[in-house]
Every structure is written in structure tokens, then in C-alpha cells.
Amino acid sequence: MHGRPRNAASKPGEEATSAAKAFRLRSLQPQFMSNHHQKIYTQEAVQISEELLKINPEAYTAWNYRKLAVEDKLSRSDDSDPSLVNLILSEELRVVDEVILKNLKSYGAWYHRKWVLSKGHPSLQKELQLVNEYQKIDSRNFHAWNYRRFVVEQTKTSELDELQYTTDMIYDSFSNYSAWHNRSLLLSSLVAKKADGFMPKETIRREIDFVYNALFTDEYDQSAWFYYLWLLDQTVKMETPLRISSWPSDGSIIILSGPECFNGSSSKFTTFCSESGSFPLILYFDQAVSGVSSSTVTVDSELKGHEDLVWEPVSDKNSPVSSCVWVARLEFDSTEPCFRTENKVKVCLGKSRGIVSSRGCNLSTPYEFVFTVLIHDTVGVSQEGIVSWTGDGFDNWDAQSKDLNSLIALDHLNADTGVEWRKKAIKMEIECFRRLPDSKFGKLILARLLMTEANVISDDAVYKEILQLYNDLMALDSTHDQYYKDELSVALLHKVTSSTESLSRYLFRYRNMNNIVCLRLSNLTLSRIAAVDKLLFVQMLDLSHNELHSADGLEAMQLLCCLNLSHNRIRSFSALDSLRHLKQLRVLDVTHNHIGGKHPVDTTRYLCSSPLSNSGGIGREVPSKYWDAYLVLGDLMKLKQLDLRGNDLIAGEEFSSLVRQVVPKLVWLNGHKLAS
Amino acid sequence: MSTEETERGPRRTNPESPPNYNFSSRSKLMSSTSSSQLVADKHVRYILMAEKKKESLESVVMDHLRMNGAYWGLTTLDLLDKLGTVPEDEVLSWVMTCQHESGGFAGNTGHDPHILYTLSAVQILALFDKISILDVGKVSSYVAGLQNEDGSFSGDIWGEIDTRFSYIAICCLSILKCLDKINVEKAVAYIVSCKNLDGGFGCTPGAESHAGQIFCCVGALAITGSLHHVDKDLLGWWLCERQVKTGGLNGRPEKLPDVCYSWWVLSSLIMIDRVHWIDKAKLVKFILDCQDLDNGGISDRPDDAVDIFHTYFGVAGLSLLEYPGVKTIDPAYALPVDVINRILFTR
Ligand SMILES: [Zn+2]
């Protein structure tokens, strides 16, 4: 099916040969089938299957038949005579060998070989020589490589010998990705075993030197670049502790107030209003972790009910074990006369082991933070006003105010935590790639290297260099320009959050809602969201006039109550799946996107919990029309204000009534107050 | 579900490296009849005719996987809104002749049952909205019975293990709404154990990443709500680097582009929401350039011989690229979206 010319100006003999083959096959097939169905395993019958397989190695039923024939022969032969058994199995291996040589890609033949060996053939050593021969014919054949690994494991061949084999293969052709792949497996295993001469740092250094040969020989060859990236990844991750951020952050003061907080005092401090007499305690890890519980996280406070905190992962129900974001709810009593008393809360992680990342990293050193809680009583009446993103309802952030809660976390997170050895290694690579002539991979890797240390990007010159690299890449490799564009968004957000000074430029206060802090990241051509670990404090977020096609990443911002996604490129409600985790969300603006338009392919169909992925709405009646709106909006329990205007096909009355049905608490829809 | 591909041979220079390859491929495109249109009617005729041409070596060699062929052909027809031209009863009664006592289906009448053909049979019945004629309990027991202790799946009683079979089992059982018959947690854990350092997946632990295998693993994780196990940026970048300068996609680094990867790479990229990282217009052009404009059908590369397998993957690829006039296909279940929605949602 591959690589045959269409208008085969076929050589005269060829057509005749293939017609003869077809004729022969057509006569062999019924004979074979009849033998198979009648369980005839005579020499003559078995011979027919051999001939058939030589013409058509994929005829799986014939391989099955041969297995039955072997079992039949073995059952008749005398167990006590091993040479007889060997004879039967060797004969079978001969057939496989001949077939594989005709078609190295036959799944059936390769498996048959394994099966025969499992019957007790003693000559496994010969297999390694044989697979060497096959790999000379086709050095990328993945069946052969899989088989090689199988034989090596069975015969306990030395990993050092195998490593040398990959070296030879690579010198033979730098573009042998299969050999590089196998090399990475062998090295991982040797390093894990702490084999002599394979300590992590020296191994990585040696391999980087080795791969340089290939990189600078053919700068377009992907194989060596992927291998280099793997080495780099190992370098970056080595000895890197889990990075943690939290809300409330260390040293911060938060003010809690009861349900009617939308008016009342105009404190300059971060205020969190709660309807349930509790507030969330949020932990963010830079890798998904499991094991966050009341035994691995201890909380000391004068607030009541902190003894048995229930930690819940912010993730879909099918993945309860591991998540980047974990939330527990701390209770407080707003009726008690504790008004204006300070409550210190101390949180400590990792005193007892158990928090483990999906990559196997442990939380090695305990992590501690302390914050202060002030509780306000509540006065006044509830306000149901509409939140407006336009107009002059916003004040500039007062950098002089004492409310550093929002920014305290930043300096903490941007602190230099790099390990000396690693920093040196990365710096060396940066220097090396800066000298490299213009190649696509060279530029990409340099850009990635520059972004590995979180604090480096605060340097304007470095940031400019990164921008320049990605702009060059877009010109050099226009096929993947959207990839580079996404990377630029990531760089921009890292830059914005890299220092107190740069972030404060994007902070405002929204007057009509108790002066809460609003982060306005509009008009930045953002195409993806990043750096959320530094934005856990944000309650009001304006991402309008960007190029986002999904809200992925926002699930970490557990305090969000007002979100503006208008004028972006969102095409479906499934792209808003992450908002289902935002339990505080009251105001959502998705006007002027492309929801419901003629975009048949939904790229977030499987990133949205639903019956399609056996992960949401199971057992409920989910209508196929608007299924994603039904599921996503249905989970926004507190939503009061929703604006969908300016989207393609969801303006109709049918849709509005669906919204009213699934979001019962809604007060404002598309700018109009709903009749209660 | 074959994951074949073609070597680019012993050449050591990269096919993408300028200036040679670019130049030659461009001049080739210029010289060949430039199409830029899907000749849907011709493909429909090609598929309907292929069923009747039983003389050629090609069709005899494919005799044992007629069930796959039927699925490829019928799904293509449905995507082109021509399923109605097929004698439904005839197809369904042939499908049912392939079922064995065990509940599994064979690739054709008289052959042995295998999980590969069991999924195709179930998909064909789904296309015709005739799952009801199945003994669902029996089919699902056959599939569930192939799960091993470590969570992996065998293809049949002979025990070959491959993540292709994990996908097939999970897809098949989800369509039959019988996923509870297997240990999903273990099935997912086995697939995750096949994840590689480049973010991709192989057929067994340690096996090299390959786009066909990646589709199977990502698809299985999608259907079980487990895509959080995928490093989407890492894998997405590896997958988008499968697009070569001619616009086509290959299945592994340093290989030639091939129409069938339009399906495997694209569907995987869509499931992890990274499809915008490739140039869709270029890929559309590559697929259209692989059409046989005279006799219908699509081939692996421009000017190669067409076959039903690549015709299906070409049309399915165009569907994922939102080509006008082609129905939308679901990237995980490999069935038209309306078919799978009909099964998994209420009306
Ligand atoms: Zn192909």
C-alpha cells in the first residue's frame, strides 16, 4: 500500500508475476481454510500455509494455524527428547526468517517468532545476530528494534554492549532516531542503577558533547535535536525542588467578610467575601502532585475547624490522585465578636512524606508559610448591580498602598532558587548556542534555555533577545508560526509577572465592587495563558481583546469571581471547561467570540468532561445539541451575570432558554436583567 | 489499523533540507495536474468499484482484512454523505457471518476472530445505527476477556500485546457502553507506562514513539477521560514537527510524509488541542495532490498508486481540516460526529 507508483509503466514481467501470484493465492486460500477448519496438520497441509504466508505475510489466520500445528506436533512428540522439540521449533523459525526477510514489517511474522521462542527454543543467542542482520537491511524498523530489546532482556545482554551498538548505529547515520531513542533508554537505566561511570552529571555532560557532533554536522536533522532536548530536560530537572505557591501567600494579610461584600467598607486590603463562612486555602505546585492531605499539610490557626481539612484536587473526576492545584476550605465565624482581631494561620507542608509529583519528585524540604486573617462583620444590603468592564469604574493601582498581598507572592516566587551546578550548565549551553549560526533548532533551543530560569526574564535585554528569536523563527519556519506565537505569549506573561514593578502596571481597582483588585491583560495578542502560579490572588481578570481559543490554565485561579474573555477566539463552550472548577465565578463575559459558528471540529471536545470521555454527565440526560453549553454552564453554580452577545449562532431564544434552565441563579443575561 | 510507513531509504541528507528537495518538489507540483478540489464523486465511485474488483493481487492479499476495508470504505462514504448508496442488509449480514462463538469478529468469513476486526465490525454497525442486532454482552465479554493482569490487552487468544489493542478495546467497549467490564485504571496505567521521553507513545514499554501508536494511546486516554497523563506541549510539538515543508505529515522523525498520517497526527493534535501548531492549508493541498483525478482514490504520496486505506485517511484528514462538503469525524472514535453523538448523548 506504500510507495507503489500510480501509473506503473510496469516492466513487462512485473504484471505477469503479480497476476500469477494472485492466481496462486486464490487457489491456496480455500485449501488452507479447509485444512484449518478440519484441523489437518499433515506435512503437506502445513506446507500450504507456508507457501501462502510467503506470498502474503499478513494472513494472520495462517500464522494461527501454524501455531496450532506446532502445538499438535509437540503434543505428539516425546517430551523426553529435547532434540526433537528443537527440530520442530527450528523448522518453524526457518519459515519465520524467510517471511520476515520478504517483509520486515509483518506484525504476524514477528509475533510468531516470539511465540516460537516462548515454547522453549534454546538458541536465543542466535537471535541477536539475526536481528543485527535485519537492522542492517532496515535500521529504523521498529519491529526489529522492539525484538532486539526483547532478546536483550531475555539473554541479559550487557547494557554497555547495547550502548556501544547505538553509538555504532549513530555514527553510521546521525539521523537514526530509533538508535537515539534506544540510547536514551539505556542511559536512563544505567544512571538509575548508578552504574560505574554513569553518575548523572558526568553522563549528561558526556552525552551533550557526543550529540554536538551530530548537531553541527547536519543542522536540519531532527533526530539529534530531539535527543539534545531530552538531555537538556534532564539537566533542568535535576535537583530541582517542586516549586510551590499559595493563596494566601506568606506574610500576607487578608480580610474576610460575609456575603454582602459588594458594598461597604472600601478597604485597600485584599478582601475576600464568603457566603459560606469559609475561605479557600490554595496550593499550587509546578508539577502535578498526589498525596496532599491533612496528614501531609498541617495548619495551625486560631480559627475553628482546621483540624481535619479536606484537600481536594482541582481536576476532573477521573483523575482524583494527581493535580497541580489543591484546595481546602478553612472555616471562620463571622458572627462571633472576633471583629478586627488578628488570626495567624501557619501552614506547613512536607513534615511527613507523601507529597509526590507525577515525575516521581518528592517534596524534599518542608515548606512553610504564615498569613494573617482579619474578619469583618457584614453590613448593608446586597447589591445586584451589573459589572461593567468598560467606562471609568477602574482606578489605577496605588503602588504606595500597604496592600502588598498581591505582590508579595511574586517576589517570593521569582527569588533565585537555581542550583549552582545547573545554572552553570545552562549558562554554558546558552553561550554555545549564541555562537551558533542561524538554524531553526538552534534558535528555538536558545529561546527555551533563556526561559528556563524564572528570574532571568526580568532583564529587559534577555526578554528582547527572546522576542527576537521567536520573531526570527516565525520567518524561518512559517509552517509552525502559531507554535512560536504561543511561546511568545508565555514569554510575555512571564515577563509581566517577573517583578512587582512590571505587574503593578496591569493592576487596577474596581470601584463598584469593594475596590477589588482587577488584573487587566487586554490587547496583548495573548494566544495562551501562563504564569498562573503568580496570579493566584486575582479575583477580577480582564483578558479581552486577545487571541485566546481556550480558557485552559485559569482553573488554578480559584478566587476568580469576574472574568472577561470578550473579543477572543473561543469557538465552543467546551473550550471553557476549566471554568467549571472556579467555584466563585459570578460574572462571565464571552462576547464577540466565535462560539456556535461554523467550525465543525471542536479541538476541546476531549478536554471537556462529558459522556464522550466517560467522565462527566454520565447518568444524566445530556442533549447532543449544545451538550458542552449544557455541561459547562451547568457547573457554574454561582454565575449571576453572563454575556454571550456577538457570537455566531447562540443568540436565539432557544439558546437563551437553555441558559436560564441550566444556570438558575442568573440575574443578568446579555445585558438584560432577567425577570425573577 | 496497520501502522505501516515507508523508509526514505539510505539517503543521509534530510528531505527537508534546502535547496534540493524544496526545489524538486515544487517543480513536481507545478507539472502535475494541479487540483485544489476534492473529487468526491470519483472517490465514491472508486470505493463502490473496489468492492467488486476481486481479481487483483492487491485485493486477494487484503482478503483477510476485509472487515477493516469495509469500515474504511463505509466511513468514507458516510463522510461524503453517500452511505445510502450501499446495500445495507447485504453488508450487515456479511458482517454477522464473521462473528465467532467467542463473540469476536474475524477479518472475513472463515478467518479467526481478532480484536482488530471486532472494533471494525462494531463501528460498521454503529454507522448504520444497528448496534441493536448485536449480542452486546457477548461481544463485550470477548473484548474484556483479552485484558491481561498488567492492564494491557492481547489481540486474540495467542497473546500478542500492543497499545493498539488497548485503544481498540477501550473504543469498542465505550461504543457498547460496557467500559465497566474492564479495569480501566489498570488499562490507563499500562498505556502511561508506554510513554516516552519525547512525549509520544510506543506499542509496548520502551518502544519508540510512532504517530500511529500515539493516536491509539491518546485516543484511549481521551475516551477514558485521562488526557491529563499526556504532556500536551511536549507531545504537541513533536507531532507538529511531523509536518515537512511540502505540507505532508510523517509518522516519525526523518521519514517521508504520507497521507495516512494526516489522520493519526491530526486527530492526536486535535484531542490535545494543539492542532493550530501546524499549517492546515499546506496539508489540505498535500492531501488533494495525492488524489487520482481520473479514477478516484487517494494514495500515500503524490503520483503513487491509490488504495482504500489511504482514501479513507485522506478524506478523514480533510474532515479534520474542516474541508467543505465533508462531514465531521470524531478524532477519538474515528466515526462521524453525528454517529457517535447519537450513541453517547440523548437525541
Ligand atoms: Zn500510509
Side-chain angles (χ1 to χ4, degrees), chain B residues 23-68:
Chain B
F23 178 72
S24 66
S25 70
R26 195 166 297 140
S27 61
K28 191 172 171 186
L29 289 181
M30 302 282 228
S31 68
S32 71
T33 26
S34 98
S35 51
S36 78
Q37 286 281 316
L38 179 69
V39 291
D41 289 348
K42 289 195 172 157
H43 298 322
V44 169
R45 208 174 325 132
Y46 167 77
I47 291 163
L48 295 172
M49 291 297 290
E51 196 34 42
K52 293 183 183 106
K53 273 193 280 179
K54 292 193 170 148
E55 303 306 308
S56 70
L57 178 61
E58 187 198 349
S59 90
V60 190
V61 164
M62 286 178 57
D63 184 70
H64 68 278
L65 49 78
R66 193 163 170 233
M67 189 68 79
N68 291 156

Side-chain angles (χ1 to χ4, degrees), chain A residues 614, chain B residues 102-103 135-148 151 153 169-170 172-174 176-187:
Chain A
N614 293 287
Chain B
S102 61
D135 182 343
V136 170
K138 213 167 156 181
V139 181
S140 57
S141 293
Y142 170 78
V143 174
L146 293 170
Q147 188 171 32
N148 302 305
F153 281 82
I170 285 167
C172 190
L173 292 176
S174 183
L176 299 175
K177 301 186 181 175
C178 293
L179 261 184
D180 56 345
K181 280 200 171 181
I182 57 165
N183 186 329
V184 173
E185 204 176 307
K186 274 188 170 182

Side-chain angles (χ1 to χ4, degrees), chain B residues 262-316:
Chain B
S262 309
W263 165 262
W264 283 314
V265 175
L266 268 180
S267 57
S268 304
L269 281 170
I270 288 171
M271 285 187 274
I272 60 171
D273 193 21
R274 296 295 183 274
V275 74
H276 58 290
W277 286 353
I278 63 160
D279 186 328
K280 294 189 196 176
K282 274 187 178 172
L283 180 56
V284 168
K285 184 169 178 349
F286 177 80
I287 298 174
L288 293 176
D289 285 340
C290 291
Q291 299 180 101
D292 184 333
L293 296 176
D294 302 323
N295 305 309
I298 299 174
S299 53
D300 57 348
R301 277 181 284 283
D303 300 322
D304 274 357
V306 301
D307 59 60
I308 189 103
F309 176 80
H310 287 95
T311 305
Y312 160 69
F313 285 116
V315 172

Side-chain angles (χ1 to χ4, degrees), chain A residues 248-259:
Chain A
S249 54
D250 191 29
S252 62
I253 302 166
I254 57 159
I255 296 173
L256 302 174
S257 79

Side-chain angles (χ1 to χ4, degrees), chain B residues 37-322:
Chain B
Q37 286 281 316
L38 179 69
V39 291
D41 289 348
K42 289 195 172 157
H43 298 322
V44 169
R45 208 174 325 132
Y46 167 77
I47 291 163
L48 295 172
M49 291 297 290
E51 196 34 42
K52 293 183 183 106
K53 273 193 280 179
K54 292 193 170 148
E55 303 306 308
S56 70
L57 178 61
E58 187 198 349
S59 90
V60 190
V61 164
M62 286 178 57
D63 184 70
H64 68 278
L65 49 78
R66 193 163 170 233
M67 189 68 79
N68 291 156
Y71 158 72
W72 294 326
L74 294 167
T75 307
T76 311
L77 290 178
D78 198 10
L79 292 176
L80 298 174
D81 214 10
K82 287 285 176 344
L83 193 61
T85 58
V86 173
E88 182 180 326
D89 293 344
E90 215 174 285
V91 174
L92 296 181
S93 62
W94 167 75
V95 168
M96 295 312 286
T97 66
C98 298
Q99 192 175 24
H100 282 246
E101 206 29 56
S102 61
F105 284 79
N108 203 343
T109 324
H111 284 267
D112 289 353
H114 194 285
I115 199 169
L116 278 167
Y117 313 109
T118 306
L119 173 62
S120 285
V122 168
Q123 284 170 319
I124 290 168
L125 295 176
L127 282 174
F128 289 112
D129 199 8
K130 283 283 157 53
I131 298 273
S132 56
I133 69 169
L134 274 183
D135 182 343
V136 170
K138 213 167 156 181
V139 181
S140 57
S141 293
Y142 170 78
V143 174
L146 293 170
Q147 188 171 32
N148 302 305
E149 193 43 47
D150 64 356
S152 66
F153 281 82
S154 300
D156 62 10
I157 54 166
W158 295 106
E160 182 181 8
I161 291 171
D162 191 312
T163 44
R164 287 181 301 151
F165 308 146
S166 299
Y167 164 73
I168 288 170
I170 285 167
C171 181
C172 190
L173 292 176
S174 183
I175 294 172
L176 299 175
K177 301 186 181 175
C178 293
L179 261 184
D180 56 345
K181 280 200 171 181
I182 57 165
N183 186 329
V184 173
E185 204 176 307
K186 274 188 170 182
V188 167
Y190 181 78
I191 292 166
V192 172
S193 77
C194 297
K195 184 158 76 170
N196 285 318
L197 306 159
D198 52 24
F201 295 84
C203 38
T204 49
E208 182 184 345
S209 300
H210 175 295
Q213 223 74 39
I214 290 170
F215 160 74
C216 290
C217 293
V218 173
L221 295 176
I223 293 172
T224 53
S226 308
L227 284 175
H228 57 281
H229 288 296
V230 179
D231 187 337
K232 299 180 188 71
D233 289 334
L234 185 65
L235 176 60
W237 182 64
W238 190 90
L239 285 170
C240 83
E241 281 293 331
R242 299 304 100 241
Q243 186 163 38
V244 301
K245 286 212 168 143
T246 53
L249 301 166
N250 62 19
R252 291 191 281 163
E254 303 305 315
K255 291 277 194 171
L256 285 176
D258 179 336
V259 159
C260 56
Y261 294 107
S262 309
W263 165 262
W264 283 314
V265 175
L266 268 180
S267 57
S268 304
L269 281 170
I270 288 171
M271 285 187 274
I272 60 171
D273 193 21
R274 296 295 183 274
V275 74
H276 58 290
W277 286 353
I278 63 160
D279 186 328
K280 294 189 196 176
K282 274 187 178 172
L283 180 56
V284 168
K285 184 169 178 349
F286 177 80
I287 298 174
L288 293 176
D289 285 340
C290 291
Q291 299 180 101
D292 184 333
L293 296 176
D294 302 323
N295 305 309
I298 299 174
S299 53
D300 57 348
R301 277 181 284 283
D303 300 322
D304 274 357
V306 301
D307 59 60
I308 189 103
F309 176 80
H310 287 95
T311 305
Y312 160 69
F313 285 116
V315 172
L318 290 172
S319 164
L320 295 179
L321 292 161
E322 308 187 320

Side-chain angles (χ1 to χ4, degrees), chain A residues 588-608:
Chain A
L588 176 61
D589 186 338
V590 280
T591 51
H592 300 285
N593 278 279
H594 309 292
I595 304 174
K598 276 209 171 297
H599 307 290
V601 173
D602 176 5
T603 60
T604 40
R605 186 170 165 90
Y606 283 95
L607 298 176
C608 177

